[in-house]
Amino acid sequence: MNFEEVLRERTDSIQAIIEKYLPEAEGFQFKVIEAMNYSILAGGKRLRPLLMQETWRLFGGEGAVIEPFMAAIEMIHTHSLIHDDLPAMDNDEYRRGRKTTWAQYGEAMGILAGDGLLNYAYETACRAFEMEPENPKIGRAFAVLAGKTGIYGMLGGQCVDVEAAGKRLSAEKLNCIYCLKTGALIEASMMIGAILAGAKDREVHLVEQISSDVGMAFQIQDDILDVTSTTEELGKPVRSDEKNEKTTYVTLKGIQKAKEDVERISRNAISMLDSLDTGNEFLRELIVHLINRRK
Ligand code: GRG
């Protein structure tokens, strides 16, 4: 099987895991559950659970304890997209090839569906404690999931980003926004895979550095696609950074330098990955694949 076929097969199996952990739309609160499921089932690359599972494989992980965490990270990611699209944030009406959650269900329900997915992510991750009550690695993984999502992680980065709208930013501040807003959740994904598989502390630390580079390269590529791609290809509006008067890597450094840096940073991640005693060829190829991604 070639890389694309394996990618499709693994993404499909991740889709099944996510669906298994979604709540039933029932009770008087069925509308918010319907909106949560509408958003998460709209598609998406499932990159974060994929990175989690591949890092777990890299360190020889076995069993199903990783699955609630894979579903949880995609719920947290989807919550961030729902809130990012709100009128008070980017005010976007199109995402993952369909209407954004607030555009479909109204603003109040959009806010609540985002909150619902964020909380349900932790409820879902808690299922791992039921599976293996004696496993101390689950608590460590849970702490990473919570910490990388909050004020010292993704939410913190989003706050700096919101305050920065319309202002010209230094490279240092932009770097901080990217590390937190995008990088933190990618770091959580790979670190949780490593922790649950039993990687040593120094290996988890190296995985944090690798994933930080993957996150940075991924966000720079996102900036590039915002100016080079189409709404049809991305499934979301292009030129949204310009609309929101955002300083991006492309506005700061130019498109050519941005492309070179995606390549350089990704190569750095791969060389750190190669320095480990253990290997996962698919994960390696996935990082290369992200350099040239078109969506
Ligand atoms: C906790 C109140 C509260 C808010 C959430 C909104 C927010 C904080 C964070 C936004 C984070 C964000 C949107 C970062 C951008 C990262 C990024 C490039 C997302 C797109 O990811 P893809 O391309 O999307 O993996 P798909 O749709 O493929 O899953």
Side-chain angles (χ1 to χ4, degrees), residues 7 27 31 38 60 97 104 130 132 136 147 172 175-176 225 263 271:
L7 178 62
K31 188 57 82 183
Y38 167 86
Q104 180 74 14
E130 292 160 22
E132 296 184 14
E172 192 192 5
N175 190 54
C176 162
L225 293 175
E263 174 99 32
S271 94

mmCIF file with all atom_site columns, all heavy atoms in Angstrom, residues 7 27 31 38 60 97 104 130 132 136 147 172 175-176 225 263 271:
data_model
loop_
_atom_site.group_PDB
_atom_site.id
_atom_site.type_symbol
_atom_site.label_atom_id
_atom_site.label_alt_id
_atom_site.label_comp_id
_atom_site.label_asym_id
_atom_site.label_entity_id
_atom_site.label_seq_id
_atom_site.pdbx_PDB_ins_code
_atom_site.Cartn_x
_atom_site.Cartn_y
_atom_site.Cartn_z
_atom_site.occupancy
_atom_site.B_iso_or_equiv
_atom_site.pdbx_formal_charge
_atom_site.auth_seq_id
_atom_site.auth_comp_id
_atom_site.auth_asym_id
_atom_site.auth_atom_id
_atom_site.pdbx_PDB_model_num
ATOM 1   N N   . LEU A 1 7   ? -2.955  6.368  4.553  1.00 0.00 ? 7   LEU A N   1
ATOM 2   C CA  . LEU A 1 7   ? -3.516  7.569  5.194  1.00 0.00 ? 7   LEU A CA  1
ATOM 3   C C   . LEU A 1 7   ? -5.050  7.495  5.189  1.00 0.00 ? 7   LEU A C   1
ATOM 4   O O   . LEU A 1 7   ? -5.696  7.744  6.214  1.00 0.00 ? 7   LEU A O   1
ATOM 5   C CB  . LEU A 1 7   ? -3.035  8.821  4.444  1.00 0.00 ? 7   LEU A CB  1
ATOM 6   C CG  . LEU A 1 7   ? -3.567  10.163 4.951  1.00 0.00 ? 7   LEU A CG  1
ATOM 7   C CD1 . LEU A 1 7   ? -3.135  10.430 6.389  1.00 0.00 ? 7   LEU A CD1 1
ATOM 8   C CD2 . LEU A 1 7   ? -3.087  11.319 4.062  1.00 0.00 ? 7   LEU A CD2 1
ATOM 9   N N   . GLY A 1 27  ? -32.936 13.968 24.782 1.00 0.00 ? 27  GLY A N   1
ATOM 10  C CA  . GLY A 1 27  ? -33.271 14.819 25.934 1.00 0.00 ? 27  GLY A CA  1
ATOM 11  C C   . GLY A 1 27  ? -33.656 16.218 25.484 1.00 0.00 ? 27  GLY A C   1
ATOM 12  O O   . GLY A 1 27  ? -33.586 16.549 24.298 1.00 0.00 ? 27  GLY A O   1
ATOM 13  N N   . LYS A 1 31  ? -30.682 19.702 21.034 1.00 0.00 ? 31  LYS A N   1
ATOM 14  C CA  . LYS A 1 31  ? -30.250 20.637 19.987 1.00 0.00 ? 31  LYS A CA  1
ATOM 15  C C   . LYS A 1 31  ? -28.742 20.916 20.085 1.00 0.00 ? 31  LYS A C   1
ATOM 16  O O   . LYS A 1 31  ? -28.030 20.950 19.081 1.00 0.00 ? 31  LYS A O   1
ATOM 17  C CB  . LYS A 1 31  ? -31.051 21.941 20.112 1.00 0.00 ? 31  LYS A CB  1
ATOM 18  C CG  . LYS A 1 31  ? -30.853 22.926 18.992 1.00 0.00 ? 31  LYS A CG  1
ATOM 19  C CD  . LYS A 1 31  ? -31.169 22.394 17.608 1.00 0.00 ? 31  LYS A CD  1
ATOM 20  C CE  . LYS A 1 31  ? -32.631 22.421 17.254 1.00 0.00 ? 31  LYS A CE  1
ATOM 21  N NZ  . LYS A 1 31  ? -32.931 21.848 15.944 1.00 0.00 ? 31  LYS A NZ  1
ATOM 22  N N   . TYR A 1 38  ? -22.907 17.871 14.465 1.00 0.00 ? 38  TYR A N   1
ATOM 23  C CA  . TYR A 1 38  ? -22.864 18.506 13.127 1.00 0.00 ? 38  TYR A CA  1
ATOM 24  C C   . TYR A 1 38  ? -21.449 18.984 12.828 1.00 0.00 ? 38  TYR A C   1
ATOM 25  O O   . TYR A 1 38  ? -20.912 18.759 11.739 1.00 0.00 ? 38  TYR A O   1
ATOM 26  C CB  . TYR A 1 38  ? -23.844 19.686 13.116 1.00 0.00 ? 38  TYR A CB  1
ATOM 27  C CG  . TYR A 1 38  ? -23.707 20.632 11.942 1.00 0.00 ? 38  TYR A CG  1
ATOM 28  C CD1 . TYR A 1 38  ? -24.354 20.387 10.737 1.00 0.00 ? 38  TYR A CD1 1
ATOM 29  C CD2 . TYR A 1 38  ? -22.936 21.797 12.053 1.00 0.00 ? 38  TYR A CD2 1
ATOM 30  C CE1 . TYR A 1 38  ? -24.235 21.270 9.669  1.00 0.00 ? 38  TYR A CE1 1
ATOM 31  C CE2 . TYR A 1 38  ? -22.816 22.682 10.986 1.00 0.00 ? 38  TYR A CE2 1
ATOM 32  C CZ  . TYR A 1 38  ? -23.466 22.415 9.796  1.00 0.00 ? 38  TYR A CZ  1
ATOM 33  O OH  . TYR A 1 38  ? -23.345 23.286 8.741  1.00 0.00 ? 38  TYR A OH  1
ATOM 34  N N   . GLY A 1 60  ? 5.504   1.719  20.506 1.00 0.00 ? 60  GLY A N   1
ATOM 35  C CA  . GLY A 1 60  ? 5.026   0.351  20.751 1.00 0.00 ? 60  GLY A CA  1
ATOM 36  C C   . GLY A 1 60  ? 3.747   0.264  21.572 1.00 0.00 ? 60  GLY A C   1
ATOM 37  O O   . GLY A 1 60  ? 3.526   -0.738 22.265 1.00 0.00 ? 60  GLY A O   1
ATOM 38  N N   . GLY A 1 97  ? -16.191 22.757 4.455  1.00 0.00 ? 97  GLY A N   1
ATOM 39  C CA  . GLY A 1 97  ? -17.073 22.557 3.315  1.00 0.00 ? 97  GLY A CA  1
ATOM 40  C C   . GLY A 1 97  ? -18.547 22.737 3.607  1.00 0.00 ? 97  GLY A C   1
ATOM 41  O O   . GLY A 1 97  ? -19.384 22.392 2.774  1.00 0.00 ? 97  GLY A O   1
ATOM 42  N N   . GLN A 1 104 ? -25.271 27.897 11.129 1.00 0.00 ? 104 GLN A N   1
ATOM 43  C CA  . GLN A 1 104 ? -26.322 26.880 10.969 1.00 0.00 ? 104 GLN A CA  1
ATOM 44  C C   . GLN A 1 104 ? -27.317 26.896 12.132 1.00 0.00 ? 104 GLN A C   1
ATOM 45  O O   . GLN A 1 104 ? -28.512 26.742 11.941 1.00 0.00 ? 104 GLN A O   1
ATOM 46  C CB  . GLN A 1 104 ? -25.648 25.495 10.869 1.00 0.00 ? 104 GLN A CB  1
ATOM 47  C CG  . GLN A 1 104 ? -26.578 24.328 10.710 1.00 0.00 ? 104 GLN A CG  1
ATOM 48  C CD  . GLN A 1 104 ? -27.184 24.238 9.311  1.00 0.00 ? 104 GLN A CD  1
ATOM 49  O OE1 . GLN A 1 104 ? -26.734 24.890 8.370  1.00 0.00 ? 104 GLN A OE1 1
ATOM 50  N NE2 . GLN A 1 104 ? -28.234 23.438 9.173  1.00 0.00 ? 104 GLN A NE2 1
ATOM 51  N N   . GLU A 1 130 ? -11.625 4.269  33.329 1.00 0.00 ? 130 GLU A N   1
ATOM 52  C CA  . GLU A 1 130 ? -12.474 3.080  33.517 1.00 0.00 ? 130 GLU A CA  1
ATOM 53  C C   . GLU A 1 130 ? -11.825 1.867  32.851 1.00 0.00 ? 130 GLU A C   1
ATOM 54  O O   . GLU A 1 130 ? -11.915 0.748  33.349 1.00 0.00 ? 130 GLU A O   1
ATOM 55  C CB  . GLU A 1 130 ? -13.852 3.282  32.869 1.00 0.00 ? 130 GLU A CB  1
ATOM 56  C CG  . GLU A 1 130 ? -14.719 4.329  33.531 1.00 0.00 ? 130 GLU A CG  1
ATOM 57  C CD  . GLU A 1 130 ? -15.833 4.823  32.600 1.00 0.00 ? 130 GLU A CD  1
ATOM 58  O OE1 . GLU A 1 130 ? -16.212 4.120  31.645 1.00 0.00 ? 130 GLU A OE1 1
ATOM 59  O OE2 . GLU A 1 130 ? -16.299 5.962  32.831 1.00 0.00 ? 130 GLU A OE2 1
ATOM 60  N N   . GLU A 1 132 ? -8.533  1.263  32.318 1.00 0.00 ? 132 GLU A N   1
ATOM 61  C CA  . GLU A 1 132 ? -7.323  0.781  33.008 1.00 0.00 ? 132 GLU A CA  1
ATOM 62  C C   . GLU A 1 132 ? -7.137  1.567  34.306 1.00 0.00 ? 132 GLU A C   1
ATOM 63  O O   . GLU A 1 132 ? -6.294  2.467  34.383 1.00 0.00 ? 132 GLU A O   1
ATOM 64  C CB  . GLU A 1 132 ? -6.089  0.941  32.095 1.00 0.00 ? 132 GLU A CB  1
ATOM 65  C CG  . GLU A 1 132 ? -6.159  0.089  30.835 1.00 0.00 ? 132 GLU A CG  1
ATOM 66  C CD  . GLU A 1 132 ? -4.891  0.171  29.986 1.00 0.00 ? 132 GLU A CD  1
ATOM 67  O OE1 . GLU A 1 132 ? -3.848  0.655  30.469 1.00 0.00 ? 132 GLU A OE1 1
ATOM 68  O OE2 . GLU A 1 132 ? -4.964  -0.243 28.810 1.00 0.00 ? 132 GLU A OE2 1
ATOM 69  N N   . PRO A 1 136 ? -1.011  4.506  35.806 1.00 0.00 ? 136 PRO A N   1
ATOM 70  C CA  . PRO A 1 136 ? -0.666  5.877  36.209 1.00 0.00 ? 136 PRO A CA  1
ATOM 71  C C   . PRO A 1 136 ? -0.374  6.808  35.024 1.00 0.00 ? 136 PRO A C   1
ATOM 72  O O   . PRO A 1 136 ? -0.369  8.028  35.166 1.00 0.00 ? 136 PRO A O   1
ATOM 73  C CB  . PRO A 1 136 ? 0.599   5.684  37.058 1.00 0.00 ? 136 PRO A CB  1
ATOM 74  C CG  . PRO A 1 136 ? 1.190   4.409  36.574 1.00 0.00 ? 136 PRO A CG  1
ATOM 75  C CD  . PRO A 1 136 ? 0.072   3.540  36.076 1.00 0.00 ? 136 PRO A CD  1
ATOM 76  N N   . GLY A 1 147 ? -3.573  20.929 30.214 1.00 0.00 ? 147 GLY A N   1
ATOM 77  C CA  . GLY A 1 147 ? -2.626  22.047 30.225 1.00 0.00 ? 147 GLY A CA  1
ATOM 78  C C   . GLY A 1 147 ? -2.404  22.657 28.850 1.00 0.00 ? 147 GLY A C   1
ATOM 79  O O   . GLY A 1 147 ? -2.397  23.884 28.692 1.00 0.00 ? 147 GLY A O   1
ATOM 80  N N   . GLU A 1 172 ? 8.647   37.913 17.248 1.00 0.00 ? 172 GLU A N   1
ATOM 81  C CA  . GLU A 1 172 ? 8.646   37.196 18.532 1.00 0.00 ? 172 GLU A CA  1
ATOM 82  C C   . GLU A 1 172 ? 7.216   36.930 19.024 1.00 0.00 ? 172 GLU A C   1
ATOM 83  O O   . GLU A 1 172 ? 6.887   35.823 19.454 1.00 0.00 ? 172 GLU A O   1
ATOM 84  C CB  . GLU A 1 172 ? 9.407   38.054 19.556 1.00 0.00 ? 172 GLU A CB  1
ATOM 85  C CG  . GLU A 1 172 ? 9.726   37.330 20.829 1.00 0.00 ? 172 GLU A CG  1
ATOM 86  C CD  . GLU A 1 172 ? 10.217  38.274 21.938 1.00 0.00 ? 172 GLU A CD  1
ATOM 87  O OE1 . GLU A 1 172 ? 10.215  39.515 21.735 1.00 0.00 ? 172 GLU A OE1 1
ATOM 88  O OE2 . GLU A 1 172 ? 10.571  37.773 22.988 1.00 0.00 ? 172 GLU A OE2 1
ATOM 89  N N   . ASN A 1 175 ? 5.494   34.404 16.812 1.00 0.00 ? 175 ASN A N   1
ATOM 90  C CA  . ASN A 1 175 ? 6.012   33.090 17.155 1.00 0.00 ? 175 ASN A CA  1
ATOM 91  C C   . ASN A 1 175 ? 5.289   32.541 18.396 1.00 0.00 ? 175 ASN A C   1
ATOM 92  O O   . ASN A 1 175 ? 4.884   31.373 18.439 1.00 0.00 ? 175 ASN A O   1
ATOM 93  C CB  . ASN A 1 175 ? 7.522   33.236 17.431 1.00 0.00 ? 175 ASN A CB  1
ATOM 94  C CG  . ASN A 1 175 ? 8.191   31.901 17.545 1.00 0.00 ? 175 ASN A CG  1
ATOM 95  O OD1 . ASN A 1 175 ? 8.072   31.072 16.651 1.00 0.00 ? 175 ASN A OD1 1
ATOM 96  N ND2 . ASN A 1 175 ? 8.878   31.682 18.647 1.00 0.00 ? 175 ASN A ND2 1
ATOM 97  N N   . CYS A 1 176 ? 5.096   33.402 19.379 1.00 0.00 ? 176 CYS A N   1
ATOM 98  C CA  . CYS A 1 176 ? 4.405   32.993 20.613 1.00 0.00 ? 176 CYS A CA  1
ATOM 99  C C   . CYS A 1 176 ? 2.969   32.567 20.288 1.00 0.00 ? 176 CYS A C   1
ATOM 100 O O   . CYS A 1 176 ? 2.500   31.519 20.748 1.00 0.00 ? 176 CYS A O   1
ATOM 101 C CB  . CYS A 1 176 ? 4.430   34.150 21.619 1.00 0.00 ? 176 CYS A CB  1
ATOM 102 S SG  . CYS A 1 176 ? 3.220   33.971 22.930 1.00 0.00 ? 176 CYS A SG  1
ATOM 103 N N   . LEU A 1 225 ? -1.515  28.823 2.518  1.00 0.00 ? 225 LEU A N   1
ATOM 104 C CA  . LEU A 1 225 ? -2.727  28.385 1.815  1.00 0.00 ? 225 LEU A CA  1
ATOM 105 C C   . LEU A 1 225 ? -3.806  29.465 1.846  1.00 0.00 ? 225 LEU A C   1
ATOM 106 O O   . LEU A 1 225 ? -4.591  29.583 0.900  1.00 0.00 ? 225 LEU A O   1
ATOM 107 C CB  . LEU A 1 225 ? -3.261  27.082 2.432  1.00 0.00 ? 225 LEU A CB  1
ATOM 108 C CG  . LEU A 1 225 ? -2.355  25.862 2.226  1.00 0.00 ? 225 LEU A CG  1
ATOM 109 C CD1 . LEU A 1 225 ? -2.910  24.649 2.972  1.00 0.00 ? 225 LEU A CD1 1
ATOM 110 C CD2 . LEU A 1 225 ? -2.194  25.526 0.754  1.00 0.00 ? 225 LEU A CD2 1
ATOM 111 N N   . GLU A 1 263 ? 9.657   24.101 5.011  1.00 0.00 ? 263 GLU A N   1
ATOM 112 C CA  . GLU A 1 263 ? 10.540  22.986 4.643  1.00 0.00 ? 263 GLU A CA  1
ATOM 113 C C   . GLU A 1 263 ? 11.637  22.805 5.706  1.00 0.00 ? 263 GLU A C   1
ATOM 114 O O   . GLU A 1 263 ? 11.869  21.696 6.194  1.00 0.00 ? 263 GLU A O   1
ATOM 115 C CB  . GLU A 1 263 ? 11.147  23.301 3.262  1.00 0.00 ? 263 GLU A CB  1
ATOM 116 C CG  . GLU A 1 263 ? 12.186  22.348 2.755  1.00 0.00 ? 263 GLU A CG  1
ATOM 117 C CD  . GLU A 1 263 ? 11.624  21.338 1.753  1.00 0.00 ? 263 GLU A CD  1
ATOM 118 O OE1 . GLU A 1 263 ? 10.684  21.700 1.026  1.00 0.00 ? 263 GLU A OE1 1
ATOM 119 O OE2 . GLU A 1 263 ? 12.144  20.203 1.729  1.00 0.00 ? 263 GLU A OE2 1
ATOM 120 N N   . SER A 1 271 ? 14.558  15.232 11.470 1.00 0.00 ? 271 SER A N   1
ATOM 121 C CA  . SER A 1 271 ? 15.875  14.779 11.925 1.00 0.00 ? 271 SER A CA  1
ATOM 122 C C   . SER A 1 271 ? 15.852  14.451 13.424 1.00 0.00 ? 271 SER A C   1
ATOM 123 O O   . SER A 1 271 ? 16.514  13.513 13.872 1.00 0.00 ? 271 SER A O   1
ATOM 124 C CB  . SER A 1 271 ? 16.973  15.763 11.516 1.00 0.00 ? 271 SER A CB  1
ATOM 125 O OG  . SER A 1 271 ? 17.235  16.656 12.520 1.00 0.00 ? 271 SER A OG  1
#
